[in-house]
């Protein structure tokens, strides 16, 4: 099970009723955050989630509305008595940016590990997450992220019995380890079925439509995607500043065959955003307007899902 919380949905500047764009997920006792704009600390508190389990923070890019909340977040995590290392992932230049921001947060009770993305597409495995960073099309270097919880195949007890493997060794094989028993070597592939479908969430802000986004969001359970502008007459502005409209995001969702899409990072000048959603749903039916604090509990395909 993967818990997802859209902490904030505002683009460019925080508003009294909308925090800057940020996402947080929880899985197996570990929390992951993508982007940390001004006000993100308060958004975490409002959601009722905890700072202490945050083990990884990923950054799409280094515009202020996506990273300016980091110093306060680090201090808050320190005040929550965190001792474990924290991993930060982002485009090249991450170490320099973090060092500069930490001028106002110099002393922390935990280690910070900066991991800079080196390739147009790069995969990281951390705390049970498979994190795929992929470059998109903004006016600075910017990445989207696909978060996956992979799921191994079913344990084939009948197969293990046929091999004569004692039950006290089954758990070892299920964890992916090899065993030696009575002069024979047994490997996990001998008793494990093929991998099963896991859980997949793609998060992308600040981009024009991109093939890399369609590819990495393909068949996602949830796509959280920017739609900076909803007014049709602002398409030229979207192209100029390398953003997407609601309708372009819907076409990405349709092309990628995702199960559901939440729109986020929409302009602070946009009022009555919900009024534009019927036309968005004409393109991609299962599209929803993101809101601060919107949550989803995503389960493996043979389980149920709950969204609030």
């Amino acid at each position: 099970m993967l818990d997802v919380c859209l902490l904030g949905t505002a683009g460019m500047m925080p508003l009294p009723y909308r925090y800057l764009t940020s996402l947080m997920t929880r899985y197996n006792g570990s929390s992951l955050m993508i982007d940390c704009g001004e006000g993100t600390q308060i958004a975490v508190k409002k959601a009722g989630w905890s700072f202490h389990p945050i083990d990884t923070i990923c950054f799409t890019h280094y515009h202020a509305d996506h990273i300016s909340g980091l110093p306060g977040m680090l201090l808050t995590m320190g005040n929550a008595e965190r001792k474990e290392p924290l991993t930060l992932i982002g485009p090249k230049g991450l170490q320099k940016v973090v060092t500069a921001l930490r001028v106002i947060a110099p002393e922390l009770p935990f280690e910070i590990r900066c991991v800079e993305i080196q390739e147009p597409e790069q995969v990281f495995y951390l705390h049970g997450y498979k994190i795929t960073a992929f470059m998109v099309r903004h006016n600075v270097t910017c990445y989207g992220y696909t978060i996956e919880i992979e799921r191994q195949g079913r344990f084939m007890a009948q197969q293990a019995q046929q091999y004569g493997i004692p039950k006290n060794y089954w758990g070892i094989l299920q964890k992916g380890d090899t065993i030696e028993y009575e002069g024979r070597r047994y490997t996990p592939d001998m008793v494990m079925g093929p991998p099963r479908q896991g859980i997949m969430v793609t998060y992308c802000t600040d981009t024009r439509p991109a093939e890399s986004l369609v590819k990495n969001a393909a068949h996602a359970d949830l796509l959280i995607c920017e739609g900076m502008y909803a007014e049709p007459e602002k398409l030229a502005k979207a192209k100029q500043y390398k953003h997407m409209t609601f309708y372009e995001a819907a076409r990405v969702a349709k092309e990628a065959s995702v199960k559901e899409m939440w729109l986020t990072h929409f302009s602070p000048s946009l009022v009555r955003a919900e009024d534009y959603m019927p036309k968005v749903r004409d393109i991609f039916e299962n599209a929803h307007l993101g809101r601060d604090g919107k949550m989803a509990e995503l389960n493996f395909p043979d389980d149920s899902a709950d969204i609030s």
Side-chain angles (χ1 to χ4, degrees), residues 244-258:
M244 277 195 286
T245 66
F246 279 22
Y247 318 103
E248 288 175 316
R251 283 190 282 271
V252 166
K254 182 177 181 179
E255 189 175 350
S257 299
V258 305

Side-chain angles (χ1 to χ4, degrees), residues 109-287:
F110 54 88
E111 176 190 357
I112 293 180
R113 299 170 179 171
C114 290
V115 180
E116 298 190 354
I117 305 167
Q118 301 296 323
E119 305 293 337
E121 186 173 310
Q122 192 167 343
V123 177
F124 305 92
Y125 289 91
L126 292 166
H127 306 287
Y129 293 96
K130 177 185 177 183
I131 306 167
T132 302
F134 54 94
M135 190 177 290
V136 291
R137 296 172 56 202
H138 194 36
N139 53 17
V140 298
T141 301
C142 185
Y143 283 81
Y145 291 93
T146 289
I147 308 300
E148 293 179 78
I149 306 300
E150 297 184 309
R151 195 180 192 194
Q152 65 179 7
R154 296 184 185 279
F155 181 79
M156 299 182 291
Q158 186 176 0
Q159 196 85 345
Q161 290 170 343
Q162 290 177 354
Y163 281 117
I165 304 172
K167 287 188 177 181
N168 58 304
Y169 289 115
W170 289 8
I172 298 173
L173 291 167
Q174 281 182 289
K175 292 179 181 178
D177 295 324
T178 298
I179 64 168
E180 300 280 347
Y181 175 68
E182 292 187 346
R184 288 198 62 184
R185 186 169 181 267
Y186 298 95
T187 57
D189 61 285
M190 298 170 69
V191 294
M192 300 300 296
R196 290 172 287 172
Q197 184 179 346
I199 299 171
M200 179 175 164
V201 175
T202 297
Y203 176 92
C204 185
T205 68
D206 295 52
T207 183
R208 293 292 300 144
E211 284 299 321
S212 60
L213 172 55
V214 173
K215 172 193 169 188
N216 283 281
H219 307 292
D221 296 287
L222 176 62
L223 168 62
I224 301 175
C225 188
E226 83 137 356
M228 178 62 85
Y229 304 108
E231 307 91 329
E233 66 272 16
K234 289 191 176 180
L235 175 59
K237 193 171 184 179
K239 291 179 177 179
Q240 179 183 356
Y241 292 104
K242 300 294 191 294
H243 286 286
M244 277 195 286
T245 66
F246 279 22
Y247 318 103
E248 288 175 316
R251 283 190 282 271
V252 166
K254 182 177 181 179
E255 189 175 350
S257 299
V258 305
K259 294 178 182 176
E260 183 172 358
M261 180 184 70
W262 296 355
L263 286 166
T264 190
H265 198 266
F266 35 98
S267 170
S269 66
L270 179 61
V271 294
R272 297 189 299 276
E274 189 62 51
D275 292 352
Y276 297 92
M277 292 305 294
K279 290 186 177 179
V280 173
R281 295 187 183 107
D282 285 342
I283 301 170
F284 181 74
E285 184 176 4
N286 203 14

Side-chain angles (χ1 to χ4, degrees), residues 83-101:
K83 304 296 182 185
E84 300 79 15
L86 172 69
T87 300
L88 306 181
I89 298 174
K92 292 179 182 178
L94 177 64
Q95 182 69 63
K96 181 179 178 181
V97 172
V98 171
T99 299
L101 289 172

